[in-house]
């Protein structure tokens, strides 16, 4: 009987915690406005008198502006925009999802989770997203460009990143499919050698950080495995270049954070041979 009572109390406790957590998400116009005024997003300031300001650094320069906003019917409505940039709009690369325009109507969704962030302002007309800077939790299921994925840790406090060792040269894809377009990066520079030229493969011997994996699994060459989203590092005279790309998981080996350095050292010769085959130079 005591055990049964304990179970009941435990589930009541969990339910109360979940209910309390859910209730923190603003619902009414007043709750949404209070949230924006108290928190906003990192590039925005919202004031109780109905004025907003923004200042954001993007490729091509800094964007600044201010105007009037209201919260009505659950929507955040940017009514006006006073900015040197005309029209009042900025779009950044897909990694960060900067995509804002004014005047416009947005929905505040603090439960929306992306590859990097949790919480977003979503354009009511076209679904474009401006993310908060709150780190997304690890190992949650997300929709990434229409693909159901599991998000892997990325600078999450107290959660180690995970990696894969590339066992064979693998094509870099825009989407997790053999029919998807290739992702091209310029060059590669490692502690064992370098290559200056375009490449659409990740080199055998590389240890790559996992950003996500697909929920689905494909069978290729008789091997069934998911696809992994990784960060492909290139190099050019202007500095480091990074692009997200998918690789098939049938020719990789999972590597933990504690194993990373040891695995990299053990596969240096494989990486050297991969660079030489590309026409690069090794040390």
């Amino acid at each position: 009987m005591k055990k049964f009572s304990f179970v009941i109390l435990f589930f009541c406790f969990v339910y109360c915690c979940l209910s309390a957590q859910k209730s923190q998400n603003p619902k009414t116009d007043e709750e949404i406005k209070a949230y924006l005024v108290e928190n906003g997003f990192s590039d925005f300031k919202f004031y109780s008198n109905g004025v907003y300001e923004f200042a954001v650094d993007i490729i091509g320069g800094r964007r600044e502006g201010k105007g009037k906003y209201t919260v009505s019917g659950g929507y955040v409505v940017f009514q006006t925009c006073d900015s040197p940039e005309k029209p009042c709009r900025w779009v950044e690369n897909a990694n960060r999802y900067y995509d804002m325009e004014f005047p416009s109507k947005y929905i505040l969704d603090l439960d929306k989770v992306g590859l990097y962030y949790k919480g977003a302002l979503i354009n009511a007309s076209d679904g474009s997203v401006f993310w908060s800077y709150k780190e997304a939790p690890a190992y949650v299921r997300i929709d990434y460009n229409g693909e159901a994925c599991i998000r892997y840790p990325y600078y999450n406090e107290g959660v180690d990143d995970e990696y894969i060792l590339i066992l064979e040269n693998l094509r870099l894809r825009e989407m997790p499919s053999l029919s998807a377009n290739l992702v091209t990066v310029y060059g590669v520079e490692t502690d064992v050698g370098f290559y200056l030229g375009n490449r659409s493969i990740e080199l055998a011997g590389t240890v790559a950080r996992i950003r996500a994996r697909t929920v689905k699994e494909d069978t290729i060459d008789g091997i069934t495995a998911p696809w992994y989203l990784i960060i492909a590092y290139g190099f050019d005279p202007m500095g480091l270049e990074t692009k997200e790309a998918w690789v098939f998981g049938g020719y990789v080996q999972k590597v933990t954070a504690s194993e990373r350095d040891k695995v990299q050292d053990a596969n240096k010769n494989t990486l050297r041979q991969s660079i030489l085959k590309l026409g690069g130079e090794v040390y």
Side-chain angles (χ1 to χ4, degrees):
M1 185 67 180
K2 288 183 178 180
K3 183 177 181 180
F4 179 77
S5 300
F6 174 79
V7 171
I8 295 296
L9 288 172
F10 173 77
F11 279 104
C12 288
F13 172 77
V14 171
Y15 176 80
C16 290
C17 290
L18 292 175
S19 299
Q21 183 178 9
K22 186 175 181 180
S23 67
Q24 294 174 6
N25 200 26
K27 299 294 184 183
T28 68
D29 291 352
E30 288 303 314
E31 288 174 341
I32 292 171
K33 184 172 181 178
Y35 178 89
L36 293 174
V37 170
E38 295 170 8
N39 300 280
F41 286 5
S42 294
D43 299 307
F44 282 92
K45 292 181 180 179
F46 293 90
Y47 301 98
S48 57
N49 63 354
V51 173
Y52 75 91
E53 296 178 346
F54 68 83
V56 56
D57 292 314
I58 68 172
I59 296 174
R62 187 171 178 80
R63 300 289 188 267
E64 296 180 349
K66 62 181 180 180
K68 299 290 289 185
Y69 81 97
T70 60
V71 178
S72 177
Y75 292 96
V76 182
V77 183
F78 296 95
Q79 298 176 313
T80 63
C81 180
D82 178 15
S83 171
E85 299 296 327
K86 302 296 182 182
C88 258
R89 182 182 177 92
W90 73 80
V91 180
E92 180 60 285
N93 61 56
N95 290 349
R96 177 60 182 90
Y97 290 143
Y98 281 125
D99 194 343
M100 293 291 291
E101 65 177 344
F102 312 89
S104 55
K105 182 186 290 187
Y106 281 80
I107 301 169
L108 176 65
D109 186 351
L110 300 183
D111 294 325
K112 186 174 181 63
V113 181
L115 189 61
Y116 290 88
Y117 305 100
K118 180 179 181 179
L121 285 168
I122 305 172
N123 192 307
S125 63
D126 62 13
S128 57
V129 175
F130 182 86
W131 290 101
S132 79
Y133 273 89
K134 292 185 178 179
E135 182 74 31
Y139 303 114
V140 295
R141 181 165 174 158
I142 64 171
D143 181 294
Y144 180 66
N145 294 337
E147 189 70 39
C149 304
I150 302 299
R151 179 195 184 276
Y152 272 63
Y154 190 66
Y155 301 128
N156 290 87
E157 185 176 352
V159 184
D160 288 336
D161 292 346
E162 293 192 45
Y163 303 84
I164 51 174
L165 168 66
I166 308 297
L167 301 176
E168 296 185 12
N169 287 352
L170 295 178
R171 297 289 186 186
L172 298 168
R173 303 279 183 180
E174 289 183 355
M175 295 293 292
S177 168
L178 286 179
S179 61
N181 292 332
L182 296 176
V183 173
T184 300
V185 294
Y186 182 84
V188 62
E189 184 176 43
T190 74
D191 60 351
V192 300
F194 67 92
Y195 168 72
L196 299 180
N198 290 329
R199 64 183 177 95
S200 296
I201 59 172
E202 191 54 270
L203 303 178
T206 299
V207 176
R209 178 185 282 114
I210 305 171
R211 294 299 300 109
R213 68 164 172 83
T214 57
V215 173
K216 71 172 185 179
E217 293 187 342
D218 286 342
T219 300
I220 301 173
D221 297 333
I223 302 173
T224 301
W227 291 74
Y228 289 95
L229 183 67
I230 64 170
I231 300 175
Y233 290 91
F235 183 81
D236 61 36
M238 298 299 292
L240 187 67
E241 177 187 31
T242 62
K243 290 186 179 180
E244 292 170 352
W246 292 94
V247 295
F248 179 58
Y251 300 95
V252 307
Q253 174 186 318
K254 293 285 291 294
V255 177
T256 65
S258 61
E259 297 170 332
R260 180 190 175 190
D261 292 343
K262 181 179 180 180
V263 171
Q264 280 184 324
D265 288 341
N267 287 274
K268 282 186 176 181
N269 191 54
T270 300
L271 184 55
R272 286 191 184 95
Q273 296 303 313
S274 300
I275 293 173
L276 286 173
K277 289 179 181 179
L278 271 181
E281 299 183 23
V282 297
Y283 307 129

